[in-house]
């Protein structure tokens, strides 16, 4: 992976590779971009043959370069990714370039079929074995968690526990991921029974859930939009993360 010095606009480049054949797609963040087709996008032209094809599906087509608005600090962006292969067998998805993301940002690849969440900054490649050829249209997502500075939130002191949870982000469960997309909270890579607690910035415990399933767990909520603190606690440790629910 090539992590270049910061430039004006964040960029994430993904590659699909099998047997020496490669294809790539780009997620490009720009203040003037939209979620639809705009001048910063590049449409994907599909080919045929042995090489895998990687692209972003949107309402009006498929994109090789998917430009999107820059998320605010502390929020997240979920980008669907489609892999198409006319040949069965192993395909490796890799993060090959990361540019200009805010300090403290994280990038994850989510395999919804296998319930696997990969931290691409720690493990830039992920290999799957396709039993059959075809288009995997709703299997993968790239999740970008934008870094934030604690000092920008004047409402709470991160050293003061509220709702029984210290607000300082804690990472003592290696591999566990916490993020939100719209009104759903995702807790990934849990091992064994895990207690999830959600607290709002007023100090109120608004949700508590016990997870039994390993892998990626989706917790659907009806919470109002805003910033929340999520704690995932198990015998292996605890993970505390700030999230933004839309």
């Amino acid at each position: 992976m090539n992590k270049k010095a910061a430039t004006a606009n964040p960029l994430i480049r993904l590659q699909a590779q099998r047997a020496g054949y490669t294809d790539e797609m780009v997620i490009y963040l720009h203040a003037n971009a939209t979620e639809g087709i705009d001048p910063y996008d590049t449409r994907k032209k599909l080919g045929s043959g042995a090489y895998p094809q990687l692209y972003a599906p949107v309402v009006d087509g498929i994109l090789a370069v998917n430009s999107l608005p820059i998320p605010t600090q502390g929020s997240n962006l979920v980008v669907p990714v489609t892999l198409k292969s006319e040949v069965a067998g192993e395909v490796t998805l890799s993060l090959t370039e990361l540019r200009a993301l805010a300090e403290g940002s994280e990038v994850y690849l989510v395999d919804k079929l296998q319930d696997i969440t990969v931290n691409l900054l720690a493990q830039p490649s992920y290999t799957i074995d396709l039993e059959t050829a075809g288009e995997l249209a709703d299997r993968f997502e790239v999740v970008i968690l934008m870094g934030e500075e604690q000092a920008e939130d004047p409402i709470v002191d991160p050293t003061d526990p509220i709702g029984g949870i210290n607000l300082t982000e804690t990472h003592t469960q290696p591999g566990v991921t916490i993020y939100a997309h719209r009104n759903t909270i995702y807790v990934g890579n849990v091992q064994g029974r895990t207690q999830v607690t959600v607290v709002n910035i007023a100090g109120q415990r608004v949700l508590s859930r016990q997870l039994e399933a390993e892998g990626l767990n989706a917790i659907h909520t009806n919470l109002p939009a805003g910033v929340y603190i999520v704690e995932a606690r198990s015998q292996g440790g605890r993970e505390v993360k700030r999230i933004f629910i839309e």
Side-chain angles (χ1 to χ4, degrees):
M1 178 183 63
N2 178 24
K3 185 172 181 179
K4 296 184 178 180
T7 58
N9 297 104
L11 179 148
I12 296 167
R13 190 181 304 274
L14 301 173
Q15 182 187 85
Q17 187 273 339
R18 68 164 305 278
Y21 297 95
T22 64
D23 189 34
E24 65 180 26
M25 64 163 284
V26 169
I27 301 169
Y28 178 66
L29 304 182
H30 193 283
N32 296 327
T34 66
E35 294 187 358
I37 300 291
D38 57 50
Y40 303 100
D41 293 315
T42 301
R43 290 187 181 271
K44 180 74 173 183
K45 295 182 179 179
L46 292 177
S48 60
Y51 65 93
Q53 298 179 84
L54 197 63
Y55 47 90
V58 294
V59 173
D60 299 324
I62 56 176
L63 301 175
V65 177
N66 187 11
S67 65
L68 294 163
I70 300 175
T72 58
Q73 287 188 336
S75 66
N76 57 266
L77 179 65
V78 179
V79 184
V81 173
T82 295
L83 171 66
K84 182 178 181 180
S85 177
E86 296 186 6
V87 180
E90 287 192 349
V91 176
T92 298
L93 303 178
S94 301
L95 173 66
T96 57
E97 184 179 359
L98 176 64
R99 193 170 72 199
L101 277 184
E103 188 70 25
S105 296
E106 303 169 33
V107 181
Y108 295 94
L109 176 68
V110 179
D111 183 341
K112 295 189 289 183
L113 179 64
Q114 297 296 329
D115 283 342
I116 293 174
T117 303
V118 180
N119 182 342
L120 291 175
L121 302 187
Q123 178 186 325
S125 297
Y126 173 66
T127 300
I128 61 171
D129 192 357
L130 300 179
E131 295 182 358
T132 59
E135 183 180 65
L136 305 179
D138 192 35
R139 177 167 174 174
F140 299 106
E141 292 175 338
V142 171
V143 179
I144 305 166
L145 307 183
M146 299 299 288
E148 65 174 335
E149 298 178 6
Q150 295 279 7
E152 292 190 354
D153 187 350
I155 301 174
V156 293
D157 179 351
T159 63
D160 286 340
I162 61 175
I165 299 176
N166 190 298
L167 299 189
T168 304
E169 290 199 358
T170 304
H171 311 287
T172 62
Q173 285 203 83
V176 171
T177 60
I178 300 172
Y179 64 94
H181 179 44
R182 295 181 179 170
N183 64 348
T184 300
I185 299 170
Y186 293 91
V187 182
N189 292 342
V190 299
Q191 301 293 326
R193 181 176 298 175
T194 300
Q195 183 67 37
V196 174
T197 304
V198 181
V199 174
N200 64 21
I201 59 175
Q204 300 167 322
R205 192 183 300 257
V206 295
L207 188 149
S208 183
R209 189 72 53 83
Q210 184 167 286
L211 305 181
E212 303 286 349
E214 298 185 358
L216 183 65
N217 293 266
I219 302 173
H220 303 286
T221 79
N222 293 314
L223 297 172
V227 176
Y228 294 85
I229 297 90
V230 180
E231 178 193 56
R233 182 188 292 270
S234 71
Q235 290 184 344
R238 62 193 291 263
E239 185 80 7
V240 178
K241 183 77 178 180
R242 285 191 180 197
I243 63 168
F244 182 79
I245 288 181
E246 299 177 8

